[in-house]
């Protein structure tokens, strides 16, 4: 059992942390899975059936994410690094945490800024650029978004679980905790850790968490101010 590190904070985030930057969530009203069938655009079956539809879906999301700006929640999370060792474990595929200044970000569902060969698995950075059909990796394999689709294996799971298990503080923000196994990560937190979740709605709030039911840009800075004050007094 890893020993608890009071100076370590893990932030586990979902699409709600980027909502006020103008990026859609998935299951809220107006969410992506209210507009699109995830089976068609976020699954290996969809890619096999119509890769150009999947490519266009992610090219549009990559374009929107590149145009978005980090918000006060992303910036507050980055500010924690003044006094704490901070690891951000995110289900998000945008790079708003990085652009706000978070130095250690683990993406469990992949990243829009990267592509990989559909057969070679060779990963390459595309930044904000669209991926075209016919665009190949260095080994001649069609480039696809480097995103974890439904039915594919989540990335960096054990690493993320280990970070959470030793964190003295865990902040969960902007996720409905409805997609597994990513959502199960919150249960790796120590009973004695300071645990806070920020979200408007949660079907089943995790045990032992303080639940702040409000906007990430309002609630996250409040939590960060409290933790920074505690650190300054310690
Ligand atoms: P899942 O079945 O694990 O999803 C968990 C829960 O979410 C299930 O109860 C399911 O009913 C529900 N769910 C799944 N997709 C949904 C959707 N689009 N809208 C509403 N509810 C939905 O998903 P899975 O197919 O078993 O995926 C398992 C693997 O796929 C995991 O590794 C996961 O990380 C990955 N994944 C990737 C994405 C993505 O869009 N990148 C999304 C979810 C899961
Ligand atoms: N402030 C705080 N919380 C918010 C805000 C906001 N401004 N806007 C939305 N939320 C909350 C909602 O209350 C909800 O609990 O964010 C959560 C968004 O949940 P989902 O739409 O389910 O998104 P997420 O949890 O990130 O989905 C997980 O599912 O399809 C996959 O790969 C996709 O990574 C994604 C995963």
């Amino acid at each position: 059992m890893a020993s608890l590190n009071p100076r370590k904070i893990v932030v586990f985030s979902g699409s709600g942390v980027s909502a006020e930057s103008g990026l859609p969530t998935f299951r809220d009203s107006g969410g992506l899975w209210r507009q699109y069938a995830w089976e068609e655009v976020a699954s290996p079956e969809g890619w096999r059936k119509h890769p150009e539809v999947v490519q266009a879906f992610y090219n549009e999301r990559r374009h929107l994410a590149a145009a978005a700006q980090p918000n006060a929640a992303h910036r507050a999370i980055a500010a924690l690094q003044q006094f704490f060792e901070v690891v951000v474990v995110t289900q998000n595929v945008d790079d708003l945490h990085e652009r706000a200044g978070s130095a250690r970000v683990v993406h469990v569902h992949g990243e829009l800024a990267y592509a990989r060969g559909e057969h070679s698995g060779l990963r390459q950075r595309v930044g904000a650029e669209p991926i075209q059909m016919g665009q190949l990796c260095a080994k001649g394999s069609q480039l696809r978004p480097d995103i974890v689709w439904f039915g594919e294996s989540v990335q960096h799971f054990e690493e993320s679980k280990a970070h959470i298990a030793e964190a003295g503080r865990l902040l969960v923000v902007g996720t409905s905790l409805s997609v597994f196994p990513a959502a199960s990560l919150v249960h790796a937190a120590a009973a004695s850790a300071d645990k806070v979740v920020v979200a408007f709605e949660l079907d089943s709030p995790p045990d032992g968490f303080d639940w702040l039911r409000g906007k990430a840009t309002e609630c996250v800075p409040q939590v960060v101010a409290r933790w920074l004050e505690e650190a300054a007094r310690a």
Side-chain angles (χ1 to χ4, degrees):
M1 179 70 183
S3 60
L4 216 53
N5 176 352
R7 310 284 304 174
K8 182 163 186 175
I9 293 180
V10 172
V11 177
F12 181 63
S13 68
S15 58
V17 78
S18 299
E20 291 163 87
S21 295
L23 297 183
T25 62
F26 292 91
R27 295 169 188 88
D28 293 318
S29 59
L32 280 173
W33 303 146
R34 300 293 178 94
Q35 305 167 53
Y36 296 88
W38 59 273
E39 301 87 340
E40 298 299 309
V41 294
S43 74
E45 295 70 29
W47 174 255
R48 271 193 290 279
K49 194 163 86 173
H50 42 216
E52 69 289 345
V53 171
V54 176
Q55 204 79 278
F57 173 71
Y58 284 97
N59 285 343
E60 173 61 14
R61 287 185 65 194
R62 187 172 306 105
H63 175 69
L64 289 173
Q69 294 304 320
N71 61 49
H74 297 106
R75 290 194 295 272
I77 290 164
L80 283 168
Q81 295 170 127
Q82 298 165 56
F83 283 99
F84 294 96
E85 176 195 345
V86 183
V87 177
V88 178
V89 176
T90 187
Q91 299 170 92
N92 297 340
V93 294
D94 62 59
D95 61 354
L96 295 180
H97 282 301
E98 290 91 334
R99 284 163 54 200
S102 288
R104 296 177 70 186
V105 182
V106 179
H107 289 267
V108 295
H109 282 166
E111 298 180 69
L112 285 169
Y114 287 83
R116 71 170 188 262
E118 66 174 335
H119 300 306
S120 67
L122 209 54
R123 196 166 183 260
Q124 67 186 66
R125 185 173 171 80
V126 293
E129 295 305 309
I131 306 172
Q132 307 298 347
M133 292 314 296
Q135 196 175 345
L136 308 180
C137 77
K139 291 190 175 174
S141 182
Q142 168 64 52
L143 283 178
R144 55 160 276 185
D146 190 25
I147 298 289
V148 175
W149 288 329
F150 285 95
E152 292 182 323
S153 300
V154 70
Q155 297 172 356
H156 311 298
F157 186 81
E158 291 307 322
E159 171 196 351
S160 301
K161 198 171 166 186
H163 282 309
I164 291 172
E166 65 176 14
R169 292 174 168 89
L170 174 63
L171 170 61
V172 176
V173 51
T175 175
S176 62
L177 297 173
S178 66
V179 171
F180 292 82
S184 66
L185 285 168
V186 300
H187 304 304
S192 59
D194 186 346
K195 301 183 285 288
V196 180
V197 53
V198 171
F200 290 138
E201 288 307 319
L202 285 172
D203 291 345
S204 46
D207 291 343
F209 280 72
D210 293 337
W211 177 8
L212 301 184
R213 302 178 77 146
K215 286 183 170 182
T217 56
E218 290 167 7
C219 297
V220 171
Q222 288 168 12
V223 177
V224 167
R226 172 163 69 86
W227 285 352
L228 288 176
E229 199 182 300
E230 286 169 6
R233 280 204 310 267

